[in-house]
Amino acid sequence: MDEEKAVAQPKTCLECGLELGAGRSDRKFCDHYCRIAYNNKRRSEGITRSAVPVEPDPEQQDIDRDIAAMNKIFDILVSNRIKLFNMYHIFERRVPISDFHRFGINLKYYTSEHQDDYYETLFKMCFDYGYHIDGEIVYITYSGSELYFN
């Protein structure tokens, strides 16, 4: 009886080329690190699952652009808040205007305006910290609670 047995070639990992060994019959990778590396490489080369080019959706592009703009503004607001926090704790509420400008606060962006009871003046707030420029002195305040867009 000369029966020839079909010898199956061992499957190898698509990323590293090592033999897969025991496991599911439809496995393609030896571990999740190889799977992630393989897929990252495919994405960076621009290879997608679909061979048909996908037309960009103009409405989605507008939404993506709006989200990017909002994220940029939020980052500026958070940066301003952190700088005001630092000034409040370094200078204790009164900052010379020259030092205030050195911190690099973007004066165009703030979350709200707040009437301070102590100074009786309007402060531009970045969440819970705010400032009021009065000549050569900048007053920093802490509201005690977060203030958002009014």
Side-chain angles (χ1 to χ4, degrees), residues 11 14 33 58 68 80 100 115 124 133 139:
K11 290 180 77 174
L14 292 177
Y33 298 109
N80 281 352
F100 180 78
Q115 182 73 34
K124 295 191 187 305
I133 300 173
Y139 296 95

Side-chain angles (χ1 to χ4, degrees), residues 3 6 8 20 24 26 32 50 53 56 59 82 94 98 113 115 117 122 125:
E3 290 182 15
L20 292 179
R24 288 178 46 162
D26 60 344
H32 66 279
S50 172
E59 188 174 317
I82 291 168
R94 292 176 54 140
S98 58
E113 293 180 330
Q115 182 73 34
D117 296 332
L122 200 61
M125 303 298 293

Side-chain angles (χ1 to χ4, degrees), residues 13 17 25 36 41 49 53-55 90 109 113 115 140 147:
C13 175
S25 62
I36 292 169
K41 207 181 298 179
R49 292 181 184 212
V54 178
E55 290 293 321
I90 292 170
Y109 297 96
E113 293 180 330
Q115 182 73 34
I140 309 293
L147 299 174

Side-chain angles (χ1 to χ4, degrees), residues 9 14 17 23 40 56 106 108 121 126-127 136:
Q9 291 289 335
L14 292 177
N40 285 343
N106 189 330
K108 293 179 185 177
T121 187
C126 290
F127 302 103
E136 293 296 314

Side-chain angles (χ1 to χ4, degrees), residues 52-65:
V52 178
V54 178
E55 290 293 321
D57 180 15
E59 188 174 317
Q60 185 61 43
Q61 287 179 327
D62 290 342
I63 292 170
D64 292 344
R65 199 170 318 134

Side-chain angles (χ1 to χ4, degrees), residues 84 87-88 92-97 100 116 118-119 121-125 129-142:
L84 287 167
M87 281 187 272
Y88 184 81
E92 298 178 3
R93 296 184 182 227
R94 292 176 54 140
V95 182
I97 191 92
F100 180 78
D116 187 86
Y118 181 77
Y119 292 108
T121 187
L122 200 61
F123 280 75
K124 295 191 187 305
M125 303 298 293
Y129 284 89
Y131 65 92
H132 170 72
I133 300 173
D134 185 17
E136 293 296 314
I137 300 293
V138 178
Y139 296 95
I140 309 293
T141 189
Y142 173 69

